Amino acid sequence: MARSMTVIRMLTKPGVLLSEVFEKANNYLCENNQEGLFVTAFEAILDIRTGKMEYVNAGHEKPFIRDKSGNYSVIEVEPGFVLGAIEDIEYNTGTIQMEPGDRFIEYTDGVAEATNVKNTKGVLLFIVSFVVCYVVSRYALRW
C-alpha cells in the first residue's frame, strides 16, 4: 500500500488528469507483481474556489457527502478496477459539485469488510458511523 501511495503522489501533478494518474500507476504497480497484489484507491482534487471536485476510483467503496443541513448521501461513483492486477486498464474521472458547508467522507475499504467475532457484518453500521463522525468532525470541509 505504501508503494501505491508513493506512486500516485509522484504522478499527481497540476494539469494531469486523474484518470491518467491511475492508468500510469496501475501499469507501474503491475510490473514485477508476481504475488498478484492489488490495491483499491480513491483520489480527489477539490477546487476550493468553485467547489468542483474531480475524482477517480479504483475499486474503492463509495464515499458520502454530508450536506450543510446534516443530510447524508452516498455518492454513486463508478467503481473502476483495482490497481496493480491487470495492465492497461482505463479509468474514468467524475465530478462532484460541493457546496459551502458540505463534508466529503471517504473511509478505508477495510471498514466495509469488518465483521464481529461471530463473522457477521452487522457491526458495519456502527463502525461506519464512528468513522463518519470522526472524519466529519476532524476534517470538515470549509471555504
Side-chain angles (χ1 to χ4, degrees):
M1 176 147 128
R3 181 175 171 223
S4 59
M5 287 174 49
T6 300
V7 170
I8 291 169
R9 285 182 181 153
M10 178 184 72
L11 294 170
T12 302
K13 295 179 177 20
V16 178
L17 295 175
L18 292 179
S19 56
E20 291 178 37
V21 169
F22 271 36
E23 288 163 9
K24 289 177 183 178
N26 176 61
N27 286 341
Y28 180 82
L29 294 170
C30 284
E31 293 176 10
N32 301 314
N33 186 10
Q34 292 81 11
E35 299 86 6
L37 300 175
F38 64 89
V39 65
T40 65
F42 187 97
E43 183 177 21
I45 297 176
L46 174 66
D47 182 332
I48 60 172
R49 293 170 290 143
T50 65
K52 179 182 170 186
M53 181 184 291
E54 179 185 354
Y55 66 85
V56 63
N57 188 10
H60 208 279
E61 298 293 330
K62 295 175 181 177
F64 296 87
I65 294 269
R66 180 178 181 257
D67 66 24
K68 59 186 168 193
S69 301
N71 299 313
Y72 289 88
S73 58
V74 174
I75 302 170
E76 295 300 329
V77 299
E78 181 180 333
F81 197 74
V82 296
L83 297 174
I86 300 173
E87 291 179 304
D88 300 323
I89 297 291
E90 291 184 14
Y91 293 89
N92 297 314
T93 57
T95 59
I96 302 165
Q97 184 61 46
M98 302 287 290
E99 300 297 332
D102 287 353
R103 297 168 185 192
F104 179 80
I105 304 157
E106 182 60 277
Y107 54 96
T108 176
D109 53 0
V111 169
E113 297 164 1
T115 58
N116 63 13
V117 293
K118 295 180 182 176
N119 203 29
T120 58
K121 293 195 177 200
V123 70
L124 174 63
L125 291 177
F126 171 76
I127 293 172
V128 171
S129 297
F130 174 77
V131 171
V132 166
C133 291
Y134 176 76
V135 171
V136 167
S137 65
R138 185 103 199 275
Y139 302 102
L141 181 65
R142 302 182 202 321
W143 69 84

